[in-house]
mmCIF file of all heavy atoms in Angstrom:
data_model
loop_
_atom_site.group_PDB
_atom_site.id
_atom_site.type_symbol
_atom_site.label_atom_id
_atom_site.label_comp_id
_atom_site.label_asym_id
_atom_site.label_seq_id
_atom_site.Cartn_x
_atom_site.Cartn_y
_atom_site.Cartn_z
ATOM 1 N N LYS A 1 3.778 16.726 44.293
ATOM 2 C CA LYS A 1 4.627 15.913 43.408
ATOM 3 C C LYS A 1 5.184 16.747 42.270
ATOM 4 O O LYS A 1 6.092 16.289 41.577
ATOM 5 C CB LYS A 1 3.796 14.719 42.899
ATOM 6 C CG LYS A 1 3.490 13.600 43.895
ATOM 7 C CD LYS A 1 2.699 12.548 43.308
ATOM 8 C CE LYS A 1 3.411 11.912 42.083
ATOM 9 N NZ LYS A 1 2.547 10.852 41.465
ATOM 10 N N GLY A 2 4.478 17.870 41.979
ATOM 11 C CA GLY A 2 5.015 18.714 40.871
ATOM 12 C C GLY A 2 4.179 18.485 39.603
ATOM 13 O O GLY A 2 4.541 19.093 38.562
ATOM 14 N N ASP A 3 3.154 17.641 39.624
ATOM 15 C CA ASP A 3 2.389 17.402 38.438
ATOM 16 C C ASP A 3 1.394 18.508 38.208
ATOM 17 O O ASP A 3 1.014 18.724 37.043
ATOM 18 C CB ASP A 3 1.523 16.102 38.612
ATOM 19 C CG ASP A 3 2.402 14.858 38.760
ATOM 20 O OD1 ASP A 3 3.523 14.845 38.175
ATOM 21 O OD2 ASP A 3 1.980 13.926 39.467
ATOM 22 N N MET A 4 0.934 19.127 39.213
ATOM 23 C CA MET A 4 -0.079 20.229 39.041
ATOM 24 C C MET A 4 0.348 21.469 39.896
ATOM 25 O O MET A 4 1.198 21.477 40.620
ATOM 26 C CB MET A 4 -1.386 19.731 39.569
ATOM 27 C CG MET A 4 -1.970 18.514 38.767
ATOM 28 S SD MET A 4 -3.578 17.949 39.497
ATOM 29 C CE MET A 4 -4.585 19.291 39.060
ATOM 30 N N SER A 5 -0.440 22.592 39.686
ATOM 31 C CA SER A 5 -0.350 23.848 40.383
ATOM 32 C C SER A 5 -1.753 24.016 41.164
ATOM 33 O O SER A 5 -2.676 23.320 40.803
ATOM 34 C CB SER A 5 0.017 24.966 39.474
ATOM 35 O OG SER A 5 0.109 26.106 40.283
ATOM 36 N N ILE A 6 -1.757 24.930 42.079
ATOM 37 C CA ILE A 6 -3.145 25.253 42.670
ATOM 38 C C ILE A 6 -3.964 25.875 41.683
ATOM 39 O O ILE A 6 -5.110 25.437 41.520
ATOM 40 C CB ILE A 6 -2.807 26.217 43.824
ATOM 41 C CG1 ILE A 6 -1.889 25.617 44.952
ATOM 42 C CG2 ILE A 6 -4.258 26.585 44.461
ATOM 43 C CD1 ILE A 6 -2.442 24.402 45.621
ATOM 44 N N VAL A 7 -3.464 26.840 40.918
ATOM 45 C CA VAL A 7 -4.218 27.544 39.816
ATOM 46 C C VAL A 7 -3.598 27.231 38.444
ATOM 47 O O VAL A 7 -2.373 27.353 38.269
ATOM 48 C CB VAL A 7 -4.267 29.046 40.105
ATOM 49 C CG1 VAL A 7 -5.131 29.733 39.007
ATOM 50 C CG2 VAL A 7 -4.930 29.364 41.455
ATOM 51 N N GLY A 8 -4.378 26.833 37.567
ATOM 52 C CA GLY A 8 -3.977 26.588 36.117
ATOM 53 C C GLY A 8 -5.110 25.913 35.380
ATOM 54 O O GLY A 8 -6.080 25.466 36.034
ATOM 55 N N PRO A 9 -5.052 25.914 34.153
ATOM 56 C CA PRO A 9 -6.086 25.186 33.274
ATOM 57 C C PRO A 9 -6.281 23.777 33.762
ATOM 58 O O PRO A 9 -5.278 23.034 34.044
ATOM 59 C CB PRO A 9 -5.455 25.196 31.885
ATOM 60 C CG PRO A 9 -4.603 26.347 31.917
ATOM 61 C CD PRO A 9 -3.916 26.351 33.233
ATOM 62 N N ARG A 10 -7.583 23.384 33.775
ATOM 63 C CA ARG A 10 -7.893 22.017 34.256
ATOM 64 C C ARG A 10 -7.316 20.999 33.265
ATOM 65 O O ARG A 10 -7.562 21.153 32.020
ATOM 66 C CB ARG A 10 -9.296 21.800 34.452
ATOM 67 C CG ARG A 10 -9.944 22.553 35.720
ATOM 68 C CD ARG A 10 -9.373 21.789 36.968
ATOM 69 N NE ARG A 10 -9.822 20.502 37.086
ATOM 70 C CZ ARG A 10 -9.387 19.638 38.014
ATOM 71 N NH1 ARG A 10 -8.490 20.034 38.879
ATOM 72 N NH2 ARG A 10 -9.828 18.414 38.166
ATOM 73 N N PRO A 11 -6.649 19.930 33.697
ATOM 74 C CA PRO A 11 -6.143 18.886 32.786
ATOM 75 C C PRO A 11 -7.264 17.978 32.266
ATOM 76 O O PRO A 11 -8.272 17.672 33.008
ATOM 77 C CB PRO A 11 -5.236 18.174 33.630
ATOM 78 C CG PRO A 11 -5.791 18.257 35.008
ATOM 79 C CD PRO A 11 -6.344 19.635 35.165
ATOM 80 N N GLU A 12 -7.189 17.626 31.055
ATOM 81 C CA GLU A 12 -8.128 16.668 30.423
ATOM 82 C C GLU A 12 -7.454 15.345 30.097
ATOM 83 O O GLU A 12 -6.244 15.337 29.996
ATOM 84 C CB GLU A 12 -8.835 17.354 29.151
ATOM 85 C CG GLU A 12 -9.592 18.565 29.516
ATOM 86 C CD GLU A 12 -10.816 18.402 30.315
ATOM 87 O OE1 GLU A 12 -11.214 17.256 30.461
ATOM 88 O OE2 GLU A 12 -11.421 19.348 30.729
ATOM 89 N N ARG A 13 -8.332 14.430 29.710
ATOM 90 C CA ARG A 13 -7.814 13.101 29.135
ATOM 91 C C ARG A 13 -7.479 13.312 27.720
ATOM 92 O O ARG A 13 -8.043 14.097 26.984
ATOM 93 C CB ARG A 13 -8.789 12.044 29.415
ATOM 94 C CG ARG A 13 -8.936 11.532 30.803
ATOM 95 C CD ARG A 13 -10.007 10.475 30.929
ATOM 96 N NE ARG A 13 -11.321 10.949 31.008
ATOM 97 C CZ ARG A 13 -12.359 10.301 31.151
ATOM 98 N NH1 ARG A 13 -12.301 8.911 31.204
ATOM 99 N NH2 ARG A 13 -13.584 10.788 31.261
ATOM 100 N N LEU A 14 -6.534 12.481 27.168
ATOM 101 C CA LEU A 14 -6.057 12.601 25.798
ATOM 102 C C LEU A 14 -7.296 12.335 24.913
ATOM 103 O O LEU A 14 -7.432 12.906 23.792
ATOM 104 C CB LEU A 14 -4.956 11.545 25.537
ATOM 105 C CG LEU A 14 -4.400 11.492 24.196
ATOM 106 C CD1 LEU A 14 -3.748 12.842 23.832
ATOM 107 C CD2 LEU A 14 -3.369 10.369 24.076
ATOM 108 N N PHE A 15 -8.204 11.425 25.310
ATOM 109 C CA PHE A 15 -9.395 11.158 24.524
ATOM 110 C C PHE A 15 -10.184 12.314 24.200
ATOM 111 O O PHE A 15 -10.693 12.612 23.088
ATOM 112 C CB PHE A 15 -10.220 10.104 25.306
ATOM 113 C CG PHE A 15 -11.496 9.893 24.636
ATOM 114 C CD1 PHE A 15 -11.593 8.796 23.617
ATOM 115 C CD2 PHE A 15 -12.701 10.391 24.978
ATOM 116 C CE1 PHE A 15 -12.790 8.576 22.914
ATOM 117 C CE2 PHE A 15 -13.861 10.134 24.385
ATOM 118 C CZ PHE A 15 -13.904 9.191 23.347
ATOM 119 N N TYR A 16 -10.348 13.254 25.175
ATOM 120 C CA TYR A 16 -11.148 14.518 25.013
ATOM 121 C C TYR A 16 -10.231 15.659 24.393
ATOM 122 O O TYR A 16 -10.744 16.448 23.666
ATOM 123 C CB TYR A 16 -11.751 14.990 26.321
ATOM 124 C CG TYR A 16 -12.828 14.026 26.783
ATOM 125 C CD1 TYR A 16 -12.750 13.226 27.860
ATOM 126 C CD2 TYR A 16 -14.005 13.968 25.977
ATOM 127 C CE1 TYR A 16 -13.658 12.317 28.191
ATOM 128 C CE2 TYR A 16 -15.020 13.069 26.404
ATOM 129 C CZ TYR A 16 -14.925 12.287 27.536
ATOM 130 O OH TYR A 16 -15.921 11.452 27.881
ATOM 131 N N GLU A 17 -8.994 15.627 24.718
ATOM 132 C CA GLU A 17 -8.075 16.637 24.140
ATOM 133 C C GLU A 17 -8.127 16.604 22.563
ATOM 134 O O GLU A 17 -8.156 17.633 21.897
ATOM 135 C CB GLU A 17 -6.626 16.488 24.588
ATOM 136 C CG GLU A 17 -6.437 16.948 26.048
ATOM 137 C CD GLU A 17 -4.978 17.332 26.255
ATOM 138 O OE1 GLU A 17 -4.052 17.049 25.425
ATOM 139 O OE2 GLU A 17 -4.726 17.939 27.323
ATOM 140 N N LYS A 18 -8.059 15.353 22.077
ATOM 141 C CA LYS A 18 -8.084 15.257 20.562
ATOM 142 C C LYS A 18 -9.367 15.767 19.981
ATOM 143 O O LYS A 18 -9.363 16.454 19.003
ATOM 144 C CB LYS A 18 -7.912 13.745 20.179
ATOM 145 C CG LYS A 18 -6.591 13.214 20.503
ATOM 146 C CD LYS A 18 -6.444 11.784 20.108
ATOM 147 C CE LYS A 18 -5.027 11.286 20.331
ATOM 148 N NZ LYS A 18 -4.898 9.783 19.953
ATOM 149 N N GLN A 19 -10.514 15.581 20.718
ATOM 150 C CA GLN A 19 -11.724 16.131 20.195
ATOM 151 C C GLN A 19 -11.819 17.676 20.262
ATOM 152 O O GLN A 19 -12.347 18.344 19.483
ATOM 153 C CB GLN A 19 -12.900 15.543 21.009
ATOM 154 C CG GLN A 19 -13.119 14.028 20.880
ATOM 155 C CD GLN A 19 -14.255 13.388 21.571
ATOM 156 O OE1 GLN A 19 -15.437 13.937 21.468
ATOM 157 N NE2 GLN A 19 -13.997 12.436 22.390
ATOM 158 N N ILE A 20 -11.230 18.185 21.401
ATOM 159 C CA ILE A 20 -11.208 19.610 21.554
ATOM 160 C C ILE A 20 -10.350 20.277 20.525
ATOM 161 O O ILE A 20 -10.712 21.326 19.854
ATOM 162 C CB ILE A 20 -10.667 19.986 23.037
ATOM 163 C CG1 ILE A 20 -11.636 19.482 24.083
ATOM 164 C CG2 ILE A 20 -10.517 21.520 23.206
ATOM 165 C CD1 ILE A 20 -11.067 19.566 25.529
ATOM 166 N N GLU A 21 -9.127 19.634 20.245
ATOM 167 C CA GLU A 21 -8.211 20.246 19.264
ATOM 168 C C GLU A 21 -8.849 20.325 17.828
ATOM 169 O O GLU A 21 -8.468 21.223 17.067
ATOM 170 C CB GLU A 21 -6.973 19.441 19.220
ATOM 171 C CG GLU A 21 -6.026 19.740 20.518
ATOM 172 C CD GLU A 21 -4.893 18.934 20.476
ATOM 173 O OE1 GLU A 21 -4.554 18.199 19.442
ATOM 174 O OE2 GLU A 21 -4.075 18.907 21.340
ATOM 175 N N GLU A 22 -9.777 19.307 17.541
ATOM 176 C CA GLU A 22 -10.472 19.424 16.196
ATOM 177 C C GLU A 22 -11.296 20.738 16.078
ATOM 178 O O GLU A 22 -11.406 21.223 15.006
ATOM 179 C CB GLU A 22 -11.310 18.204 16.093
ATOM 180 C CG GLU A 22 -10.593 16.899 15.924
ATOM 181 C CD GLU A 22 -11.392 15.710 15.748
ATOM 182 O OE1 GLU A 22 -12.720 15.878 15.762
ATOM 183 O OE2 GLU A 22 -10.959 14.464 15.665
ATOM 184 N N LYS A 23 -11.813 21.185 17.245
ATOM 185 C CA LYS A 23 -12.708 22.377 17.227
ATOM 186 C C LYS A 23 -11.922 23.616 17.526
ATOM 187 O O LYS A 23 -12.260 24.667 17.168
ATOM 188 C CB LYS A 23 -13.900 22.208 18.140
ATOM 189 C CG LYS A 23 -14.787 20.987 17.732
ATOM 190 C CD LYS A 23 -16.009 20.906 18.635
ATOM 191 C CE LYS A 23 -16.927 19.817 18.186
ATOM 192 N NZ LYS A 23 -18.201 19.734 18.990
ATOM 193 N N ALA A 24 -10.858 23.352 18.420
ATOM 194 C CA ALA A 24 -10.014 24.555 18.892
ATOM 195 C C ALA A 24 -8.629 24.186 18.813
ATOM 196 O O ALA A 24 -8.070 23.641 19.751
ATOM 197 C CB ALA A 24 -10.447 24.967 20.252
ATOM 198 N N PRO A 25 -8.010 24.358 17.606
ATOM 199 C CA PRO A 25 -6.540 23.881 17.381
ATOM 200 C C PRO A 25 -5.575 24.560 18.381
ATOM 201 O O PRO A 25 -4.537 23.999 18.574
ATOM 202 C CB PRO A 25 -6.252 24.370 16.031
ATOM 203 C CG PRO A 25 -7.576 24.447 15.312
ATOM 204 C CD PRO A 25 -8.520 24.888 16.449
ATOM 205 N N TYR A 26 -5.942 25.685 18.953
ATOM 206 C CA TYR A 26 -5.064 26.358 19.875
ATOM 207 C C TYR A 26 -5.140 25.846 21.297
ATOM 208 O O TYR A 26 -4.494 26.343 22.224
ATOM 209 C CB TYR A 26 -5.446 27.857 19.952
ATOM 210 C CG TYR A 26 -6.963 28.179 20.143
ATOM 211 C CD1 TYR A 26 -7.441 28.176 21.398
ATOM 212 C CD2 TYR A 26 -7.770 28.299 19.066
ATOM 213 C CE1 TYR A 26 -8.803 28.381 21.611
ATOM 214 C CE2 TYR A 26 -9.182 28.519 19.263
ATOM 215 C CZ TYR A 26 -9.684 28.564 20.492
ATOM 216 O OH TYR A 26 -10.971 28.774 20.666
ATOM 217 N N TYR A 27 -5.865 24.712 21.519
ATOM 218 C CA TYR A 27 -6.067 24.182 22.832
ATOM 219 C C TYR A 27 -4.668 23.785 23.422
ATOM 220 O O TYR A 27 -4.520 23.990 24.718
ATOM 221 C CB TYR A 27 -6.970 22.885 22.784
ATOM 222 C CG TYR A 27 -6.918 22.149 24.013
ATOM 223 C CD1 TYR A 27 -7.750 22.627 25.205
ATOM 224 C CD2 TYR A 27 -6.171 20.986 24.394
ATOM 225 C CE1 TYR A 27 -7.757 21.969 26.366
ATOM 226 C CE2 TYR A 27 -6.149 20.360 25.574
ATOM 227 C CZ TYR A 27 -7.021 20.778 26.587
ATOM 228 O OH TYR A 27 -7.004 20.223 27.740
ATOM 229 N N SER A 28 -3.782 23.449 22.661
ATOM 230 C CA SER A 28 -2.404 22.992 23.179
ATOM 231 C C SER A 28 -1.722 24.108 23.894
ATOM 232 O O SER A 28 -0.726 23.843 24.637
ATOM 233 C CB SER A 28 -1.538 22.391 22.094
ATOM 234 O OG SER A 28 -1.238 23.444 21.164
ATOM 235 N N LEU A 29 -2.112 25.288 23.749
ATOM 236 C CA LEU A 29 -1.501 26.455 24.496
ATOM 237 C C LEU A 29 -1.572 26.250 26.018
ATOM 238 O O LEU A 29 -0.699 26.739 26.702
ATOM 239 C CB LEU A 29 -2.124 27.771 24.127
ATOM 240 C CG LEU A 29 -1.926 28.335 22.720
ATOM 241 C CD1 LEU A 29 -2.731 29.589 22.451
ATOM 242 C CD2 LEU A 29 -0.411 28.638 22.560
ATOM 243 N N VAL A 30 -2.589 25.510 26.486
ATOM 244 C CA VAL A 30 -2.700 25.373 27.935
ATOM 245 C C VAL A 30 -1.553 24.465 28.507
ATOM 246 O O VAL A 30 -1.366 24.498 29.669
ATOM 247 C CB VAL A 30 -4.080 24.597 28.226
ATOM 248 C CG1 VAL A 30 -5.261 25.477 27.827
ATOM 249 C CG2 VAL A 30 -4.190 23.144 27.687
ATOM 250 N N HIS A 31 -0.837 23.760 27.591
ATOM 251 C CA HIS A 31 0.253 22.961 28.036
ATOM 252 C C HIS A 31 1.466 23.711 28.343
ATOM 253 O O HIS A 31 2.570 23.114 28.717
ATOM 254 C CB HIS A 31 0.541 21.846 26.980
ATOM 255 C CG HIS A 31 -0.568 20.852 26.800
ATOM 256 N ND1 HIS A 31 -1.278 20.331 27.811
ATOM 257 C CD2 HIS A 31 -1.041 20.269 25.655
ATOM 258 C CE1 HIS A 31 -2.180 19.474 27.449
ATOM 259 N NE2 HIS A 31 -2.105 19.509 26.146
ATOM 260 N N LYS A 32 1.422 25.028 28.172
ATOM 261 C CA LYS A 32 2.580 25.901 28.524
ATOM 262 C C LYS A 32 2.719 26.018 29.984
ATOM 263 O O LYS A 32 3.895 26.398 30.401
ATOM 264 C CB LYS A 32 2.450 27.267 27.857
ATOM 265 C CG LYS A 32 2.375 27.260 26.351
ATOM 266 C CD LYS A 32 2.768 28.712 25.781
ATOM 267 C CE LYS A 32 1.771 29.722 26.183
ATOM 268 N NZ LYS A 32 2.105 31.033 25.554
ATOM 269 N N VAL A 33 1.789 25.711 30.763
ATOM 270 C CA VAL A 33 1.771 25.917 32.194
ATOM 271 C C VAL A 33 1.306 24.589 32.829
ATOM 272 O O VAL A 33 0.653 23.835 32.182
ATOM 273 C CB VAL A 33 0.931 27.080 32.741
ATOM 274 C CG1 VAL A 33 1.450 28.352 32.134
ATOM 275 C CG2 VAL A 33 -0.527 26.848 32.294
ATOM 276 N N GLN A 34 1.623 24.435 34.115
ATOM 277 C CA GLN A 34 1.156 23.260 34.757
ATOM 278 C C GLN A 34 -0.457 23.336 34.946
ATOM 279 O O GLN A 34 -0.938 24.416 35.212
ATOM 280 C CB GLN A 34 1.740 23.142 36.179
ATOM 281 C CG GLN A 34 3.213 22.633 36.178
ATOM 282 C CD GLN A 34 3.709 22.489 37.571
ATOM 283 O OE1 GLN A 34 3.508 23.447 38.427
ATOM 284 N NE2 GLN A 34 4.520 21.515 37.777
ATOM 285 N N PRO A 35 -1.052 22.264 34.740
ATOM 286 C CA PRO A 35 -2.485 22.235 35.074
ATOM 287 C C PRO A 35 -2.803 22.535 36.560
ATOM 288 O O PRO A 35 -1.960 22.364 37.302
ATOM 289 C CB PRO A 35 -2.983 20.800 34.641
ATOM 290 C CG PRO A 35 -1.747 19.986 34.813
ATOM 291 C CD PRO A 35 -0.589 20.823 34.529
ATOM 292 N N GLY A 36 -4.053 22.947 36.853
ATOM 293 C CA GLY A 36 -4.328 23.306 38.182
ATOM 294 C C GLY A 36 -5.473 22.643 38.704
ATOM 295 O O GLY A 36 -6.388 22.039 38.097
ATOM 296 N N ILE A 37 -5.613 22.670 40.131
ATOM 297 C CA ILE A 37 -6.789 22.186 40.826
ATOM 298 C C ILE A 37 -8.003 23.090 40.460
ATOM 299 O O ILE A 37 -9.058 22.586 40.321
ATOM 300 C CB ILE A 37 -6.500 22.146 42.321
ATOM 301 C CG1 ILE A 37 -5.378 21.191 42.667
ATOM 302 C CG2 ILE A 37 -7.786 21.786 43.066
ATOM 303 C CD1 ILE A 37 -4.994 21.167 44.112
ATOM 304 N N THR A 38 -7.793 24.321 40.395
ATOM 305 C CA THR A 38 -8.780 25.292 40.017
ATOM 306 C C THR A 38 -8.368 26.219 38.871
ATOM 307 O O THR A 38 -7.114 26.361 38.680
ATOM 308 C CB THR A 38 -9.289 26.132 41.213
ATOM 309 O OG1 THR A 38 -10.379 26.927 40.759
ATOM 310 C CG2 THR A 38 -8.191 26.995 41.687
ATOM 311 N N SER A 39 -9.229 26.833 38.101
ATOM 312 C CA SER A 39 -8.899 27.699 37.095
ATOM 313 C C SER A 39 -9.903 28.795 36.923
ATOM 314 O O SER A 39 -11.052 28.760 37.560
ATOM 315 C CB SER A 39 -8.707 26.895 35.847
ATOM 316 O OG SER A 39 -10.037 26.386 35.421
ATOM 317 N N TRP A 40 -9.580 29.839 36.071
ATOM 318 C CA TRP A 40 -10.597 30.764 35.809
ATOM 319 C C TRP A 40 -11.780 30.189 35.096
ATOM 320 O O TRP A 40 -12.984 30.580 35.359
ATOM 321 C CB TRP A 40 -9.960 31.881 35.031
ATOM 322 C CG TRP A 40 -10.848 33.156 34.980
ATOM 323 C CD1 TRP A 40 -11.821 33.506 35.909
ATOM 324 C CD2 TRP A 40 -10.758 34.240 34.069
ATOM 325 N NE1 TRP A 40 -12.432 34.661 35.558
ATOM 326 C CE2 TRP A 40 -11.741 35.161 34.411
ATOM 327 C CE3 TRP A 40 -9.963 34.546 32.939
ATOM 328 C CZ2 TRP A 40 -12.019 36.303 33.728
ATOM 329 C CZ3 TRP A 40 -10.221 35.700 32.189
ATOM 330 C CH2 TRP A 40 -11.226 36.524 32.582
ATOM 331 N N GLY A 41 -11.512 29.203 34.272
ATOM 332 C CA GLY A 41 -12.552 28.483 33.506
ATOM 333 C C GLY A 41 -13.528 27.786 34.411
ATOM 334 O O GLY A 41 -14.771 27.811 34.302
ATOM 335 N N MET A 42 -12.958 27.152 35.513
ATOM 336 C CA MET A 42 -13.713 26.460 36.478
ATOM 337 C C MET A 42 -14.598 27.481 37.380
ATOM 338 O O MET A 42 -15.801 27.212 37.620
ATOM 339 C CB MET A 42 -12.918 25.570 37.408
ATOM 340 C CG MET A 42 -12.301 24.463 36.769
ATOM 341 S SD MET A 42 -13.548 23.196 36.228
ATOM 342 C CE MET A 42 -14.184 22.596 37.816
ATOM 343 N N VAL A 43 -14.046 28.592 37.609
ATOM 344 C CA VAL A 43 -14.697 29.581 38.486
ATOM 345 C C VAL A 43 -15.801 30.269 37.699
ATOM 346 O O VAL A 43 -16.916 30.361 38.167
ATOM 347 C CB VAL A 43 -13.702 30.693 38.945
ATOM 348 C CG1 VAL A 43 -14.374 31.886 39.498
ATOM 349 C CG2 VAL A 43 -12.764 30.118 39.971
ATOM 350 N N LYS A 44 -15.617 30.640 36.438
ATOM 351 C CA LYS A 44 -16.559 31.296 35.606
ATOM 352 C C LYS A 44 -17.517 30.371 34.944
ATOM 353 O O LYS A 44 -18.710 30.788 34.651
ATOM 354 C CB LYS A 44 -15.817 32.176 34.561
ATOM 355 C CG LYS A 44 -14.923 33.209 35.173
ATOM 356 C CD LYS A 44 -15.626 34.370 35.759
ATOM 357 C CE LYS A 44 -16.360 35.261 34.957
ATOM 358 N NZ LYS A 44 -17.005 36.409 35.592
ATOM 359 N N TYR A 45 -17.198 29.180 34.657
ATOM 360 C CA TYR A 45 -17.957 28.296 33.799
ATOM 361 C C TYR A 45 -18.464 27.119 34.596
ATOM 362 O O TYR A 45 -19.527 26.547 34.448
ATOM 363 C CB TYR A 45 -17.260 27.878 32.567
ATOM 364 C CG TYR A 45 -18.133 27.299 31.527
ATOM 365 C CD1 TYR A 45 -18.720 28.093 30.512
ATOM 366 C CD2 TYR A 45 -18.387 25.963 31.437
ATOM 367 C CE1 TYR A 45 -19.499 27.615 29.581
ATOM 368 C CE2 TYR A 45 -19.127 25.449 30.417
ATOM 369 C CZ TYR A 45 -19.728 26.312 29.545
ATOM 370 O OH TYR A 45 -20.634 25.837 28.583
ATOM 371 N N GLY A 46 -17.564 26.492 35.452
ATOM 372 C CA GLY A 46 -17.909 25.288 36.169
ATOM 373 C C GLY A 46 -17.508 24.039 35.367
ATOM 374 O O GLY A 46 -16.730 24.056 34.382
#
């Protein structure tokens, strides 16, 4: 559908995005690319 890519940062809910941005204001950088089914974060961290 074009909502996601195979590889890219995992998408989060707005509820948690706001909490993440409070601790990491640069979180919005992940919105520069399509979110993915898998990511380096998922591979390395789970």
Side-chain angles (χ1 to χ4, degrees):
K1 289 178 62 182
D3 297 327
M4 298 177 68
S5 180
I6 302 295
V7 178
R10 285 295 295 172
E12 299 292 349
R13 284 180 279 180
L14 183 62
F15 177 82
Y16 290 110
E17 282 204 355
K18 291 181 178 179
Q19 297 181 50
I20 297 172
E21 287 178 3
E22 290 178 1
K23 299 184 177 184
Y26 50 85
Y27 173 78
S28 61
L29 289 175
V30 302
H31 295 321
K32 295 201 298 183
V33 298
Q34 285 183 319
I37 295 178
T38 186
S39 68
W40 193 20
M42 289 294 293
V43 169
K44 300 291 289 184
Y45 196 90

